Amino acid sequence: MQILDGKITSQAIKDIIKGKVAALSAQGKRTPHLAAILVGNNGASETYVASKVKTCAEIGFESTLKRFPETINEAELLQVIDELNNDDAVDGILVQLPLPKHISEDKVIEAINPDKDVDGFHPVTTGRMVAGLPSFIPATPYGILLMLEHYKIETKGLHAVVIGRSNIVGKPMSILLSRNTYPGNCTVTTCHSATKNLKEMCLQADIIVAALGRPEFVKADMVKDGAIVIDVGITRVADATKKSGFAIKGDVAFNEVAPKCSYITPVPGGVGLMTIAGLMMNTYNAYMMRSK
Ligand code: NAD
């Protein structure tokens, strides 16, 4: 069994981008610029945005963090996005989800200029991705592809079972793994909350991508020997022994599943770090596309 290490892999990706950014600076060019919007004070969202901003600084990107109180209304937020869309110095725009209930996430996502859609959630981006056209790729599935590529894992012809069908993880993951490309070329089964025989499905899987948000849901008796297991889940579970008061749990019961796998991602230290790497790649690609 080999651990797919998000720390090592994301660092390798960040180093590649850092080198490209240094080359831009050496030529006197401006560097890629990511603008992040954070609404309210959700603890997890604060952490995610802070690490995205920190990573920008590490690799030489410019970043702008726009913070707004929970009370901002939809029209005001749409106005902010419009300004960022029209700001030539901004290459990528990300709106940290979830947004407060009184704001339509769909409307906000659709307001982002698809050329700056570095989270890859805009319907135009999704359409391009499904059609196999050049496009941004939602950051988490992108990070997973980068991880498979980094470890040179052969995926052609494998049966991948993706658990979850959300627009940000499960659905794009299923589409990407089925594409005639590397990593991909898998036969894909998408499972979700209405799937009746989930255990039987998982037992047929060469690759399991668990993205359902249920801590330690995937147990050893659901995994066949030699499977590749990618754990996307991140759930905060109360834990009095931690200073923060919570522990982070994945969707896979790691201790019992790991011995059966050929490869497995840990939580934390796996897909989460790769998601940021995916976002940085998208931002770099947005910059390059806009600089043409
Ligand atoms: P979501 O709640 O939008 O979707 C969950 C999906 O799981 C749904 O499609 C649902 O049908 C399916 N599901 C729920 N219960 C199920 C069950 N019992 N059996 C089979 N399928 C079931 O969640 P999401 O936004 O896709 O996120 C999933 C998990 O991944 C969460 O823990 C989230 O925190 C985590 N996440 C991690 C990263 C990362 O960077 N590692 C990024 C995004 C999301």
Side-chain angles (χ1 to χ4, degrees):
M1 182 274 296
Q2 183 172 359
I3 300 274
L4 300 174
D5 189 316
K7 202 166 174 199
I8 292 172
T9 315
S10 64
Q11 192 58 53
I13 307 280
K14 287 189 288 186
D15 286 346
I16 292 170
I17 305 175
K18 198 172 171 178
K20 292 176 192 260
V21 173
L24 291 171
S25 293
Q27 293 163 36
K29 293 185 175 159
R30 72 172 186 88
T31 58
H33 182 173
L34 175 68
I37 296 175
L38 177 60
V39 178
N41 298 300
N42 176 305
S45 293
E46 299 245 8
T47 310
Y48 295 147
V49 169
S51 49
K52 290 167 188 175
V53 168
K54 188 169 154 255
T55 306
C56 282
E58 260 173 56
I59 62 178
F61 284 5
E62 256 194 80
S63 70
T64 301
L65 172 57
K66 289 191 175 280
R67 296 197 64 142
F68 300 98
E70 188 93 12
T71 49
I72 188 173
N73 68 38
E74 191 176 277
E76 287 165 333
L77 190 56
L78 291 173
Q79 176 63 33
V80 173
I81 290 173
D82 192 47
E83 283 162 17
L84 293 172
N85 281 341
N86 290 305
D87 185 341
D88 268 345
V90 169
D91 301 294
I93 302 170
L94 87 82
V95 180
Q96 188 63 46
L97 302 179
L99 290 171
K101 294 257 177 303
H102 63 276
I103 300 176
S104 158
E105 289 186 355
D106 287 346
K107 263 195 203 170
V108 167
I109 289 167
E110 284 183 50
I112 296 170
N113 176 348
D115 290 344
K116 299 188 179 187
D117 176 35
V118 290
D119 254 342
F121 300 159
H122 193 287
V124 167
T125 307
T126 310
R128 293 185 65 86
M129 183 186 70
V130 172
L133 297 168
S135 74
F136 298 116
I137 298 174
T140 301
Y142 193 8
I144 293 169
L145 297 183
L146 291 169
M147 176 88 101
L148 293 168
E149 202 175 4
H150 179 86
Y151 283 90
K152 300 185 171 55
I153 295 173
E154 183 52 81
T155 55
K156 189 176 180 181
L158 298 188
H159 180 203
V161 167
V162 179
I163 315 174
R165 58 179 162 186
S166 72
N167 284 343
I168 64 170
V169 188
K171 202 184 289 174
M173 192 76 256
S174 291
I175 291 162
L176 292 160
L177 285 174
S178 71
R179 296 199 305 188
N180 183 4
T181 178
Y182 176 77
N185 246 322
C186 296
T187 302
V188 179
T189 303
T190 307
C191 295
H192 45 73
S193 49
T195 299
K196 284 188 176 145
N197 47 349
L198 186 67
K199 183 175 168 183
E200 287 71 23
M201 289 294 173
C202 288
L203 280 168
Q204 292 172 35
D206 303 306
I207 303 177
I208 295 176
V209 180
L212 66 162
R214 308 275 149 124
E216 305 194 327
F217 180 92
V218 176
K219 307 279 193 233
D221 66 357
M222 297 167 74
V223 178
K224 79 172 178 189
D225 284 336
I228 299 160
V229 174
I230 310 289
D231 189 352
V232 183
I234 297 182
T235 307
R236 288 181 172 198
V237 179
D239 185 341
T241 67
K242 303 271 181 200
K243 206 169 137 205
S244 59
F246 62 83
I248 301 289
K249 293 276 178 208
D251 286 344
V252 176
F254 183 89
N255 289 340
E256 60 179 86
V257 170
K260 297 187 82 175
C261 300
S262 54
Y263 299 95
I264 186 167
T265 62
V267 176
V271 173
L273 296 167
M274 294 307 299
T275 295
I276 298 187
L279 173 70
M280 297 299 136
M281 285 292 278
N282 276 340
T283 306
Y284 179 76
N285 291 337
Y287 170 92
M288 292 307 287
M289 207 172 71
R290 296 184 65 253
S291 307
K292 274 185 189 161

